Amino acid sequence: SSCYFPQPEHVISSNIINQPVSSGPNGCTTLTVTRQQLISLCSTFSTLRRRLNCILETKVDVVERVPGRMKGAWIDFNELFQTLVAEVPTSTEHDLRRRRSLVALQEQFKSVVVPLAEMIILELHKPNDQKLLPPTHGARNSASAGGQRYLINGILFELSSNKGNIYGTPSNASKALKREFRAWELILSTSVRGICVPLCVLITYRGYRLKAMPVLPIGDRSTVLYGGSDGTGPANRLGEGVKRSPEVTAIIKAVCSELNLKGHDIPGSNRVFYGPADIEVRRGYDGRLYVLKPGRLLPAQKADLKIHSQGNWLVQQMRPEAVKNSSTALSSDAYTQWGSIHKGDDQAVTAAFRQIYEKVIP
């Protein structure tokens, strides 16, 4: 499965923060530090710089246990990951080797992205022209309404951001990346084949969260075969821009069925849609189907508990266990403008939430 890698926050010479501050010549502020603290600080940055140089200036070889290793070339992490996930074990030993290869590939990916993510965060305060790793404009494979994106050696980094106040708070923006990751995990956990999720790592460092994933072999929005609604336009015509390829619809329906999610009608369309309307399934140049923006796969929690302030409906969701154990299938778009036709879907989510909130928890 995909790997969630929460990198603990590293404190660089934290005791320097508590040092006394005094006024110097010409009104300048000076900070008094000991020689040992300065050596420690410089050593930390030097170590990180060496790790980055090792990645940026040399070719990375995948470890021996991963099949298809490519000496002297950048690793195509996506191709290796998709090949291993799609591999059908023929025996217990084969399945064990496959799982070990997945773990080895994940560890290799972590070793590449973590130092890069650390440097990205450490350089956030600098002007772009002074950064070792500046942001990339127009980076492809955006999987959410996030902030700055960095394209480095075939790996896309996305920094959580509340730009445009979409999520209401920076905390919600950070949670949105986790919701997206959890949705990919749920899709991967089903028995349905024929649809792909990316290899993804979440890095939390110094209060910031980044998502790192290999660049996927997909094009622009013209490659979207399913979903793709941006929520704009008249409320009664939201379904007009939503795509529904019959092939992909059958796959997503099977995924939703295993997760106890039902189909629903979208205003302006007379065809049943499965999953959130803003999900995107695209056909890659390699022929695979890739899922992007699945963050709202699980329905939002009950609205009258005051969780639906600005942006909360994007991150305050039912737990997957509660959805699976619900006596009736639930709609991903309950309590949203895309699911406004059938109020019964809202009531079903309300009943499932009350079952947890009033009976299971007490």
Side-chain angles (χ1 to χ4, degrees):
S1 64
S2 302
C3 48
Y4 172 53
F5 187 67
Q7 179 70 4
E9 179 176 349
H10 298 297
V11 180
I12 300 178
S13 299
S14 58
N15 55 350
I16 293 180
I17 299 174
N18 301 320
Q19 294 299 316
V21 178
S22 59
S23 296
N26 303 322
C28 297
T29 301
T30 61
L31 179 65
T32 304
V33 297
T34 65
R35 182 174 182 274
Q36 187 60 39
Q37 290 170 340
L38 186 59
I39 292 174
S40 174
L41 184 63
C42 293
S43 174
T44 302
F45 277 102
S46 296
T47 300
L48 185 55
R49 171 88 51 169
R50 286 196 300 270
R51 292 167 65 189
L52 287 172
N53 288 339
C54 180
I55 292 173
L56 295 174
E57 297 178 3
T58 63
K59 301 302 182 181
V60 182
D61 285 329
V62 74
V63 292
E64 290 289 348
R65 286 178 292 175
V66 178
R69 62 193 305 266
M70 298 171 287
K71 274 190 171 295
W74 295 114
I75 300 173
D76 187 347
F77 283 106
N78 179 69
E79 180 63 29
L80 289 171
F81 180 71
Q82 303 303 339
T83 300
L84 288 171
V85 170
E87 192 173 307
V88 179
T90 57
S91 65
T92 303
E93 291 184 359
H94 184 188
D95 187 41
L96 183 60
R97 287 196 304 270
R98 169 180 167 274
R99 293 175 182 272
R100 286 175 176 172
S101 295
L102 275 170
V103 171
L105 180 63
Q106 292 168 358
E107 293 301 320
Q108 182 77 4
F109 189 60
K110 292 177 190 176
S111 69
V112 172
V113 302
V114 169
L116 294 172
E118 291 175 355
M119 179 56 76
I120 288 172
I121 292 173
L122 288 174
E123 292 185 326
L124 285 178
H125 67 286
K126 294 182 179 180
N128 288 342
D129 58 355
Q130 297 180 17
K131 293 181 179 179
L132 178 64
L133 304 175
T136 304
H137 299 288
R140 295 186 296 126
N141 297 174
S142 172
S144 65
Q148 290 182 332
R149 298 180 179 91
Y150 302 78
L151 185 58
I152 307 168
N153 295 341
I155 299 173
L156 181 67
F157 294 83
E158 183 176 332
L159 182 68
S160 66
S161 171
N162 189 35
K163 184 177 180 180
N165 203 33
I166 296 175
Y167 299 107
T169 65
S171 175
N172 279 352
S174 181
K175 291 177 182 178
L177 292 184
K178 183 61 182 295
R179 299 296 176 267
E180 188 174 59
F181 177 85
R182 181 171 66 176
W184 276 325
E185 265 194 328
L186 288 172
I187 294 172
L188 194 60
S189 70
T190 67
S191 61
V192 180
R193 294 296 174 258
I195 198 162
C196 301
V197 303
L199 173 63
C200 181
V201 173
L202 296 184
I203 304 102
T204 302
Y205 181 60
R206 289 180 168 261
Y208 294 91
R209 176 168 287 173
L210 288 112
K211 174 183 67 184
M213 55 186 281
V215 172
L216 302 179
I218 59 178
D220 56 20
R221 288 182 58 85
S222 64
T223 61
V224 176
L225 298 179
Y226 189 83
S229 174
D230 57 7
T232 60
N236 62 342
R237 299 171 59 184
L238 290 173
E240 292 184 357
V242 178
K243 298 185 178 181
R244 297 179 182 84
S245 161
E247 175 193 2
V248 181
T249 299
I251 297 175
I252 298 297
K253 180 180 179 180
V255 170
C256 289
S257 177
E258 291 196 21
L259 299 177
N260 200 25
L261 295 170
K262 61 175 292 187
H264 60 282
D265 294 327
I266 301 176
S269 174
N270 57 1
R271 291 183 294 175
V272 177
F273 189 87
Y274 296 87
D278 55 347
I279 195 174
E280 291 184 5
V281 180
R282 303 190 187 190
R283 175 77 68 182
Y285 299 129
D286 56 1
R288 297 186 178 101
L289 294 172
Y290 291 95
V291 182
L292 299 178
K293 299 172 63 174
R296 291 195 313 103
L297 182 64
L298 297 176
Q301 292 180 14
K302 188 172 178 293
D304 63 7
L305 291 182
K306 299 182 180 180
I307 66 143
H308 275 50
S309 59
Q310 176 69 35
N312 278 4
W313 63 281
L314 294 168
V315 296
Q316 298 285 357
Q317 299 175 345
M318 297 281 291
R319 291 188 61 84
E321 298 85 358
V323 174
K324 290 181 179 180
N325 292 331
S326 172
S327 58
T328 59
L330 305 179
S331 170
S332 298
D333 278 331
Y335 295 125
T336 70
Q337 56 187 344
W338 294 286
S340 59
I341 293 180
H342 298 295
K343 295 302 180 182
D345 292 345
D346 298 351
Q347 295 170 2
V349 173
T350 298
F353 184 75
R354 287 198 176 279
Q355 177 71 19
I356 299 297
Y357 192 77
E358 297 178 356
K359 297 182 179 180
V360 176
I361 294 177

